[in-house]
Structures are given as structure tokens and as C-alpha cells.
Amino acid sequence: MTRRFDGAITTPEDAPDSTTLPAARRPPRPVGIESAAAILIAGGIVAIIGTIGAMGLDPEAADPGARPVIALILALNVLTVIVGLLVRRGQAWIVCINVVAVLLFIELTAIPSGGATAALLAVLDGFVFVALARNRAWFDWRPSKGIQAR
């Protein structure tokens, strides 16, 4: 040992071994995906509140023939929130894009009677659809596709 620090231990004992690879981490969430998830979650919650508010506080006041349609609309809005949560987590891409495509179709067919509100919702659903289609690779990421040991 000719130098002053030869053989000295310069790393703490609990330091990670340099031969082990760090855990693979998912790439950061794209802005389009974050926006799409927010649109789905917030839009679904607002639609649920709006549907319940339109029924009024007295459920008996609603037309009995309209109850199945109201139940279907509520179920669709709950599904929208669930899909928004799946989009945010990066799971079930094929289910998410298909549900958004159905929502987009419903909004597009509602434009003649729904006016500006239906058009705005169609534009938002179109944005979500494009964001999901453009960022499919982010959904496909798996830890096994990350850093590989050689």
C-alpha cells in the first residue's frame, strides 16, 4: 500500500451492490394520458351528479318509463369513471379505447338534439380517443421489458 487511502472502504455497508440492476420503472405518464384520464373521471362524476340532479330529490317524480334509460345513463357514467381510473393506471388499453369509442359514437349521434353540449362532449371524447391511440406503447410497458441483466 503505497498510497494513503489504498484499501480504504469508501462506501457505506448498506450501499447497493454495483452488480445488481435497479428496478425497472414505468416511464412518466404522458400529458395526453393524464389529460384523458382527467376528462373521463371529471366528466363521469359531473354527469352522474347531473343525472341525479335532473331526476330531482324525489325518485318517484321521474317518469316510470324513463327509469331504465336513467339507469343505463348512470351505469355508462360510472363506467366512464372506472375507465378514467384504468387509463390513469395504464391498464386495459383495449377495453378503455373501445369504451371511449362507444362514448364518442353516442356523443356524435346526440349532436343534432343536444346542440353545443353534445358537440363539446364529442370533441372531448375525440381527444381522449386520439390520446389513447397515440400512447398505446405507454400502456404496453411491463417491468420485464425494462432493464435486462446480461
Side-chain angles (χ1 to χ4, degrees):
M1 287 196 222
T2 59
R3 294 184 158 182
R4 182 176 176 186
F5 294 107
D6 281 348
I9 298 175
T10 58
T11 59
E13 289 183 26
D14 60 344
D17 186 11
S18 63
T19 60
T20 61
L21 297 173
R25 298 178 70 193
R26 178 185 282 276
R29 188 178 299 115
V31 174
I33 293 296
E34 189 71 47
S35 301
I39 288 169
L40 290 171
I41 294 168
I45 290 172
V46 168
I48 290 169
I49 292 170
T51 303
I52 293 172
M55 282 183 0
L57 297 177
D58 185 16
E60 299 299 322
D63 180 24
R67 287 184 184 153
V69 174
I70 292 171
L72 181 64
I73 291 170
L74 282 173
L76 207 68
N77 292 328
V78 169
L79 181 64
T80 302
V81 173
I82 292 170
V83 166
L85 294 172
L86 287 172
V87 166
R88 190 163 198 299
R89 291 187 53 144
Q91 296 177 332
W93 178 83
I94 194 75
V95 172
C96 295
I97 200 160
N98 281 301
V99 169
V100 170
V102 169
L103 291 172
L104 179 58
F105 177 76
I106 290 171
E107 294 300 336
L108 288 173
T109 58
I111 288 178
S113 62
T117 304
L120 175 65
L121 293 174
V123 168
L124 291 174
D125 287 342
F127 171 80
V128 171
F129 185 83
V130 170
L132 290 176
R134 286 189 55 142
N135 294 295
R136 181 178 182 183
W138 184 78
F139 282 85
D140 289 341
W141 183 89
R142 298 288 176 260
S144 61
K145 291 183 181 179
I147 301 171
Q148 297 290 326
R150 295 179 195 235

